[in-house]
Amino acid sequence: MRTLLSLLAAVWTTVVHAASPNMELAKSVFDPRIMSNAVESPIPGLYQFAQGSEVFYISADGRYVMQGEMIDLQTQINVTESFRASERVKTLAALEPKTMISVLPNAPAHHITVFTDVDCPYCRLMQQNILEYTQRGIAIHYLAYPRSGPNSSAALRMAQVWCTPDRLSALLLAQTDQPLPNSRGDCSKIIREQYAIAQKLGISSTPSIILEDGTLIPGFVAPANLETILNKHPEQIEIEKSDSEETTLPEPPPHPLSPPPPPPAVQ
């Protein structure tokens, strides 16, 4: 009986250890708080965790750590990038919606998060096309990423934008080098926090678009092309629209920078 109990205890100990990797060796190199979120990878006995925008793999005994891209040859899926995408979804879902500048059509079909900069030419181009994005049912949630740094003049202007009552109009003014209205309070902390989040997510350019499933698309994408991409991605997360700083655009007149609407189709 004692032998049987010993065997059961050994099996139980093995199962418990298999549920999470041993962190004793690795905690001197990695942040233990981050490593506590390690999850099993598709390879038995190998766990994955993210530190910033980097993904690492660690053996169950905690002895071996490696970094690189894991590819599933059967499905042709980049497992590592899928894990990064899931981390982006979790990070964005934890954000306070009121810290974003949200532009919503009447019936949004898709939501995207966009890291933008007031000095970025392609961010300005995206803003010029804001009407067409909303007409295609695409809701845009802007976050600040001043590429020149959180203490730059661009970051200061973005803090002014975020502290005005009409943030969307102020963003347009800032991106067209026009004077900004007086701000209410100091939003520099929000800009610094969003800058840090961008770095954590591996953002290095603007605009950077994150889809609802966490897919990262760096650079400007024209409205029609973006709609095509979005239709291929299932909805993953629900944006809390009621709590967001939002601008509803049912049938707004085009702003001065918007391209003229296309002529009606000839039957």
Side-chain angles (χ1 to χ4, degrees):
M1 183 67 177
R2 183 175 300 175
T3 302
L4 177 59
L5 290 175
S6 298
L7 287 173
L8 290 174
V11 170
W12 173 251
T13 301
T14 302
V15 171
V16 171
H17 284 174
S20 61
N22 188 328
M23 299 298 187
E24 285 303 313
L25 291 174
K27 70 180 182 181
S28 61
V29 179
F30 299 98
D31 187 341
R33 294 170 299 177
I34 294 175
M35 296 189 68
S36 65
N37 296 322
V39 296
E40 284 191 274
S41 77
I43 300 177
L46 193 65
Y47 295 79
Q48 55 191 358
F49 65 95
Q51 181 158 289
S53 61
E54 303 296 331
V55 176
F56 296 89
Y57 296 93
I58 184 170
S59 58
D61 61 4
R63 180 177 178 181
Y64 300 100
V65 175
M66 53 188 159
Q67 184 182 13
E69 302 297 308
M70 181 188 295
I71 310 296
D72 185 330
L73 295 180
Q74 182 174 344
T75 62
Q76 298 297 307
I77 291 176
N78 185 326
V79 176
T80 305
E81 182 55 33
S82 296
F83 182 68
R84 289 193 193 100
S86 69
E87 290 294 299
R88 294 184 195 114
V89 169
K90 288 190 291 185
T91 298
L92 294 178
L95 295 181
E96 173 57 55
K98 291 182 179 179
T99 63
M100 305 178 184
I101 299 178
S102 295
V103 189
L104 304 179
N106 268 346
H110 305 284
H111 291 265
I112 62 172
T113 302
V114 179
F115 284 92
T116 190
D117 183 4
V118 292
D119 288 339
C120 159
Y122 285 100
C123 297
R124 297 181 179 196
L125 180 59
M126 189 168 192
Q127 186 73 348
Q128 291 174 23
N129 287 272
I130 194 70
L131 177 63
E132 186 176 352
Y133 287 113
T134 57
Q135 288 175 335
R136 292 179 181 274
I138 301 172
I140 299 177
H141 305 273
Y142 284 118
L143 292 172
Y145 183 60
R147 295 168 301 160
S148 49
N151 299 313
S152 62
S153 60
L156 178 60
R157 294 207 311 282
M158 298 188 87
Q160 289 180 270
V161 168
W162 255 253
C163 266
T164 57
D166 187 350
R167 293 176 176 177
L168 183 60
S169 296
L171 181 61
L172 174 61
L173 292 174
Q175 290 182 328
T176 52
D177 299 319
Q178 299 182 55
L180 294 174
N182 293 329
S183 58
R184 298 180 180 178
D186 182 6
C187 289
S188 57
K189 181 181 178 182
I190 293 176
I191 304 305
R192 288 195 301 270
E193 289 174 347
Q194 293 184 0
Y195 181 86
I197 289 168
Q199 290 195 311
K200 174 185 176 182
L201 297 180
I203 304 299
S204 59
S205 62
T206 53
S208 280
I209 302 169
I210 299 180
L211 309 187
E212 290 173 277
D213 66 351
T215 298
L216 172 62
I217 304 176
F220 170 79
V221 182
N225 294 341
L226 183 59
E227 183 182 25
T228 299
I229 293 171
L230 289 168
N231 287 335
K232 296 179 180 179
H233 287 77
E235 183 169 297
Q236 295 283 327
I237 57 175
E238 181 69 23
I239 302 293
E240 298 179 43
K241 295 182 286 293
S242 60
D243 294 334
S244 64
E245 174 78 21
E246 59 187 47
T247 302
T248 302
L249 301 175
E251 286 296 334
H255 58 65
L257 296 178
S258 294
V266 178
Q267 300 294 331

